[in-house]
Amino acid sequence: MLLADLAATSATVAATRSRKAKVAALAACLETAEDAELEVVTSYLGGALRQRRTGLGWRSLTDLPPPAQDASLTVLEVHRAFDAIASLAGPGSQGARAAAVRELFGRATAAEQQWLRGVVTGEVRQGALDSLVQEAIALAADVPVVAVRRAAMFAGSTVAVARLAFDGTDALGAVGLVVGRPVLPMLASSAGSLAEALAKLGGTAVVDTKLDGVRIQVHRRDDDVVIATRTLEDITARLPEVVDVVRRLPASSVVLDGEAMTVGPDGRPRPFQETASRTATRGASAVHVAPYFFDLLHLDGRDLHDLPLADRLAALDALVPAAHRVERLVTDDVAAADDFASRVVDAGHEGVVVKGLDVPWEAGRRGNGWIKVKPVHTLDLVVLAVEWGSGRRKGWLSNIHLGARDPETGDVVMLGKTFKGMSDRMLAWQTERFTELATVPDPRADWVVPVQPTQVVEIAFDGVQRSTTYPGGVALRFARVVRYRDDKTAAEADTIDAVRALLP
DNA sequence: GTCACCGAAGGAC
DNA sequence: ATCTGACTCATTCGG
DNA sequence: CCGAATGAGTCAGATGTCCTTCGGTGAC
């Protein structure tokens, strides 16, 4: 298949808003793919390279050669080119990488260059990602989507099952959990309160402690252990303590789901930054990370993932010592659940995850089987500047810079940005408002538009963390706009001290 | 030749 | 990670 | 009983903070 064909379907997909039309276009493309290129085509249609890392980003693509007149690149040639680029390392590799990029892009037409740039930066923006590709595979291979999704969950990716889908539903059905091969993680949706979460599940539910660490999936067969993150990155070598814990379990093969976290000598969880830093470093480290499990998918040759949660938890409890399990409450009572959640938060944890007792373990979507509930903080902050948006927010002032009042100096101290929580109406309002408040003669001239620090905005966020980026030494986690507060002046905004007081 | 520093990439949430 | 808007499918409402 | 309105479930896209690793480069 020519890259040009792929770029053309991407353009077709981007041109329509109808999902069905997108799926149809993707399926038509998949049908024309040769067997040998099916995996690459599948990956490319989903807007992703097959290489996890290439060393390329937006910066490496700043000066590209002029496009070719005629389309000649094949999909497989492109794949091999990225393989070569990805394997480059060591002194001089950046130069070699740049040369390889020039070579590849020089052979691409203008349309192909645009598509290539998109995959490299992960911004194809055709309105279709993995999920629609799964539907397209189902359509092209004439198999049920659920079969494709299920196989992809066990195989760890859609790409891995694309070819199998064309062998039929039975072939997909034969894909199962293999100890040692990470599966796509089950994700949680969220709710604003325990009452809401329990109501959604109806009846008795499990209320699990939600730890502020890194999600881990651990596979063990005899002494072989594999630890994978949420995106299935293998971090086994970085967490020897976790390997030890799992090797000591009285079983020959297990697949566990849990969270890795560091705990202080006082028994309280350390800030997320510490466990994240530890799990990211490859060498030795003084920081100790321990696993806390909340699910068991496989035990000694028996798959448990299809069993109700209640059964999986019984098996978990029998296998894993309490010290390496997440604390939980099983209840149908909102007051009891609320009480448990506040104790959990007081103990320094992030919140809770409410789970249906009869729900099987199922990856691939954020269903209502697991619902997270986290406390939300709120502050009234001052807008210091705004950035022009891109994509669907082009032409709107979008990302706002936030600051808190410093009563000592009278200044407003910046502590982060946010673009979340804004409706289109709010976006329209704020581009008008901040254009008026701009302190530069032509607000359209620059990406960042400074404004008079007078507009107060109510911001919701999950927590506060230490920062080396921002002058106040603190930054907000997951800040989002609740509403603009025209009833408050900047002098009434919250202070930087109030923010620092929230530091864990 | 080494070392400190910087920016990009990539990955956690 | 969070949040909004858009597309689909299913159900309810109005005549 | 039929078509329109409404609601629930999903998906994609916009873009956040922090941290580590690695190559390039300038200072000595």
Side-chain angles (χ1 to χ4, degrees):
Chain A
M1 181 182 290
L2 288 175
L3 213 224
D5 296 334
L6 204 133
T9 69
S10 176
T12 305
V13 168
T16 175
R17 275 178 163 171
S18 159
R19 286 192 205 187
K20 294 184 119 184
K22 286 178 194 286
V23 169
L26 295 170
C29 183
L30 279 169
E31 278 164 11
T32 66
E34 307 274 334
D35 237 31
E37 59 192 14
L38 231 192
E39 297 192 342
V40 175
V41 171
T42 303
S43 186
Y44 285 4
L45 286 178
L49 292 176
R50 295 221 53 204
Q51 292 76 16
R52 186 156 187 145
R53 56 198 310 161
T54 56
L56 258 30
W58 64 273
R59 192 62 210 266
S60 342
L61 305 179
T62 38
D63 67 316
L64 294 174
Q69 284 305 110
D70 303 311
S72 66
L73 281 169
T74 69
V75 165
L76 283 179
E77 280 176 319
V78 172
H79 173 61
R80 284 192 288 267
F82 281 118
D83 255 350
I85 289 170
S87 69
L88 262 15
S93 60
Q94 300 232 353
R97 211 183 302 274
V101 166
R102 277 195 301 274
E103 153 89 23
L104 209 213
F105 278 73
R107 292 188 53 203
T109 64
E112 290 171 328
Q113 280 198 355
Q114 196 194 341
W115 182 86
L116 282 170
R117 196 186 328 205
V119 258
V120 167
T121 57
E123 296 178 326
V124 168
R125 287 174 216 197
Q126 56 182 11
L129 293 172
D130 205 46
S131 210
L132 292 200
V133 173
Q134 288 177 334
E135 285 188 36
I137 289 172
L139 183 62
D142 192 25
V143 292
V145 209
V146 287
V148 177
R149 287 203 209 284
R150 190 181 158 88
M153 153 180 145
F154 288 127
S157 76
T158 302
V159 169
V161 300
R163 187 140 31 132
L164 257 191
F166 287 88
D167 292 340
T169 309
D170 291 348
L172 287 176
V175 179
L177 210 196
V178 174
V179 180
R181 180 177 70 180
V183 301
L184 262 21
M186 181 161 180
L187 304 173
S189 58
S190 56
S193 69
L194 269 301
E196 190 188 324
L198 284 167
K200 265 190 191 162
L201 288 167
T204 306
V206 172
V207 185
D208 259 347
T209 303
K210 185 178 195 307
L211 303 185
D212 196 4
V214 172
R215 179 89 176 263
I216 50 168
Q217 180 185 149
V218 187
H219 292 236
R220 171 185 155 205
R221 180 186 294 285
D222 299 321
D223 271 353
D224 293 335
V225 175
V226 173
I227 307 174
T229 61
R230 213 175 87 106
T231 60
L232 273 33
E233 171 116 318
D234 187 332
I235 54 165
T236 314
R238 294 180 227 169
L239 299 180
E241 314 97 300
V242 174
V243 172
D244 284 346
V245 168
V246 175
R247 275 199 183 133
R248 279 201 295 272
L249 297 176
S252 60
S253 70
V254 287
V255 177
L256 290 148
D257 192 3
E259 194 91 357
M261 187 179 70
T262 116
V263 169
D266 56 355
R268 285 180 71 83
R270 299 298 303 160
F272 171 76
Q273 284 158 300
E274 281 182 35
T275 114
S277 148
R278 170 64 173 75
T279 50
T281 103
R282 284 152 210 278
S285 165
V287 178
H288 183 88
V289 168
Y292 301 90
F293 296 109
F294 50 70
D295 217 323
L296 216 210
L297 310 193
H298 178 99
L299 176 61
D300 289 338
R302 208 168 131 235
D303 287 338
L304 308 180
H305 53 77
D306 277 338
L307 298 182
L309 174 63
D311 297 346
R312 304 200 306 276
L313 290 180
L316 210 218
D317 291 353
L319 176 75
V320 179
H324 289 297
R325 289 194 317 246
V326 147
E327 220 184 307
R328 85 176 86 96
L329 173 77
V330 179
T331 186
D332 62 350
D333 180 39
V334 175
D338 270 328
D339 190 52
F340 177 76
S342 38
R343 277 196 289 118
V344 156
V345 170
D346 286 347
H349 299 298
E350 208 187 353
V352 295
V353 183
V354 186
K355 305 175 175 178
L357 268 177
D358 51 358
V359 175
W361 199 91
E362 194 181 17
R365 58 198 184 86
R366 281 176 197 279
N368 278 331
W370 290 7
I371 305 173
K372 58 186 161 192
V373 181
K374 301 193 270 186
V376 175
H377 305 271
T378 258
L379 285 170
D380 292 323
L381 299 173
V382 180
V383 179
L384 294 167
V386 208
E387 295 174 15
W388 288 104
S390 63
R392 79 176 294 283
R393 293 204 178 176
K394 200 178 174 73
W396 275 333
L397 283 170
S398 172
N399 203 359
I400 59 178
H401 295 198
L402 305 166
R405 206 156 48 85
D406 184 343
E408 305 209 342
T409 63
D411 288 343
V412 178
V413 187
M414 183 168 176
L415 39 72
K417 311 177 190 178
T418 187
F419 60 94
K420 293 173 188 147
M422 294 152 184
S423 61
D424 285 3
R425 212 175 141 193
M426 203 181 275
L427 248 7
W429 179 85
Q430 73 183 30
T431 106
E432 192 176 329
R433 170 77 171 143
F434 294 129
T435 301
E436 285 166 11
L437 287 182
T439 55
V440 288
D442 180 10
R444 305 225 152 237
D446 289 301
W447 184 256
V448 178
V449 182
V451 299
Q452 293 167 40
T454 55
Q455 179 65 51
V456 176
V457 62
E458 183 178 346
I459 297 292
F461 58 99
D462 281 18
V464 164
Q465 59 194 335
R466 287 185 196 286
S467 171
T468 50
T469 308
Y470 291 108
V474 284
L476 305 180
R477 260 230 276 185
F478 312 135
R480 58 253 189 204
V481 170
V482 177
R483 60 181 167 140
Y484 280 102
R485 300 218 40 170
D486 293 318
D487 55 325
K488 275 201 172 185
T489 66
E492 297 170 287
D494 282 306
T495 64
I496 189 78
D497 295 325
V499 181
R500 290 198 186 109
L502 294 168
L503 234 25

